[in-house]
Amino acid sequence: MSGPRLALVFPGQGAQQPGMGRLWSGRPGWSLAERASEISGRDVPELLLRADAETLRRTDNAQLATFVLEMVVLAELRRCLPAARRPVVCAGHSLGEYAALVAAGIVGFDDGVRLVTARGEAMRRACAAEPGTMAAVVGLPPEDVEKAAQEIRDGGGRVWVANLNSPQQSVLSGEAGAVAACSEAAERFGAARIVPIPVGGAFHTPLMESAANKFARVADAVEYLPGHTPVVANVDARPHQEPGGWPWLLTRQITAPVRWADSVRAMAGETYCDMFVEVGPGRTLTGLARRIAPEVSRLSIAEPGQLPPVPAPVRNAA
């Protein structure tokens, strides 16, 4: 195989920013935003162009806007980087897994919009019924973060480790009081700092069970295809290409931790990718990849100016 062995990776909720679609709105891939509006019944261009930070903080808005922008960016990337049409592997962090499935040919774009719309709405309702919050713990191994969480659970608190992002970064998720208590416990264990995450729900914990139950019906109704590229799943950090397992994997992901560090190791070590390309807003995933698999090169595509140049056509010799 010639050319780079690409791993396409897609960020999740929290990467969204007001106006994040403006630089992409005049490009051919923008038609996907219009198509997403037709499927979802939501004004997606409004979310991408004019929605303020408070509007985008709402779970259903954040998820739909981020997913669609990632699809627009992917369409533009594929125009100038042929290897992105058939990457070696794909993965996405939480919500980003849906973009990864579309990029891998396992889920069609229309069904991707349907899944994300249903997921966002189910999770928004679960947040209203079971309010919670999240906080990143920096500078502490994940096993010590889990010890801190277990300490709080033993005392009746509801808090869990929701994201295993890198050897020195994990995310706590649960009821606000329990997250605060666990943050203090993590500092006693030696955490360098705690970074609150401004969300209204305890994502990737048992508090999202009602969302998982509602979403499961939609996940079961969608068509999954064999695809052309495996996707490393958040739930087990293993590459999957067969269509049959994805309804369970996606439903389980809502209440299970995101095993991102292990996912990056799987992409670097098992599929032998030699470049991570982060597709969508922000640079969080390439930053994590630098710490987990520093031997693999990295590229972030959040703005049109970061797209690689379009290759010149190959002409036959006379």
Side-chain angles (χ1 to χ4, degrees):
M1 177 179 175
S2 60
R5 293 179 58 83
L6 298 185
L8 298 184
V9 296
F10 299 85
Q13 184 175 344
Q16 72 275 2
Q17 303 169 25
M20 62 184 177
R22 289 173 190 158
L23 294 176
W24 299 97
S25 62
R27 305 180 72 94
W30 187 254
S31 62
L32 293 174
E34 304 290 349
R35 176 61 183 162
S37 292
E38 297 174 10
I39 300 164
S40 66
R42 306 283 303 282
D43 191 341
V44 177
E46 175 71 19
L47 290 175
L48 291 172
L49 299 174
R50 290 173 287 276
D52 60 19
E54 187 62 30
T55 300
L56 287 177
R57 193 173 292 121
R58 204 176 88 170
T59 297
D60 53 343
N61 293 336
Q63 293 193 19
L64 182 59
T66 302
F67 167 79
V68 174
L69 182 66
E70 289 171 0
M71 293 291 90
V72 171
V73 178
L74 177 65
E76 293 299 310
L77 176 63
R78 285 177 162 172
R79 294 179 63 241
C80 57
L81 184 63
R85 299 169 193 162
R86 290 290 180 103
V88 171
V89 66
C90 296
H93 192 286
S94 189
L95 165 72
E97 190 158 86
Y98 295 81
L101 287 169
V102 177
I106 295 172
V107 170
F109 174 77
D110 288 9
D111 277 338
V113 174
R114 294 184 185 102
L115 285 167
V116 169
T117 302
R119 182 184 191 263
E121 178 60 22
M123 291 177 71
R124 184 184 70 82
R125 291 180 180 274
C127 291
E130 293 267 19
T133 192
M134 303 176 77
V137 180
V138 181
L140 192 66
E143 57 269 22
D144 288 340
V145 180
E146 177 54 40
K147 288 177 184 176
Q150 186 63 58
E151 179 181 298
I152 303 305
R153 288 199 300 273
D154 288 345
R158 298 203 289 176
V159 61
W160 295 266
V161 179
N163 302 156
L164 300 158
N165 285 339
S166 80
Q168 293 292 311
Q169 186 195 113
S170 301
V171 174
L172 297 171
S173 183
E175 294 176 333
V179 170
C182 191
S183 298
E184 293 177 3
E187 289 179 326
R188 292 199 307 272
F189 276 82
R193 58 193 172 99
I194 308 295
V195 182
I197 300 174
V199 295
F203 303 146
H204 301 291
T205 76
L207 297 183
M208 287 286 110
E209 186 174 358
S210 64
N213 291 338
K214 288 184 176 67
F215 175 77
R217 294 190 290 272
V218 179
D220 286 338
V222 164
E223 181 183 13
Y224 300 88
L225 306 169
H228 51 72
T229 300
V231 173
V232 176
N234 288 182
V235 169
D236 61 5
R238 304 298 306 160
H240 296 264
Q241 191 168 344
E242 70 287 350
W246 280 106
W248 181 86
L249 288 166
L250 293 176
T251 301
R252 174 65 179 144
Q253 188 226 67
I254 293 174
T255 57
V258 174
R259 296 178 56 189
W260 188 251
D262 286 342
S263 297
V264 172
R265 294 185 189 104
M267 288 185 279
E270 296 182 36
T271 66
Y272 303 105
C273 70
D274 52 28
M275 177 179 284
F276 291 112
V277 181
E278 183 170 5
V279 182
R283 302 181 62 178
T284 299
L285 300 185
T286 45
L288 292 172
R290 184 178 65 250
R291 292 186 282 275
I292 301 164
E295 73 280 6
V296 179
S297 60
R298 299 163 300 277
L299 178 66
S300 295
I301 309 294
E303 301 176 358
Q306 295 170 326
L307 290 167
V310 177
V314 177
R315 298 181 179 179
N316 295 326

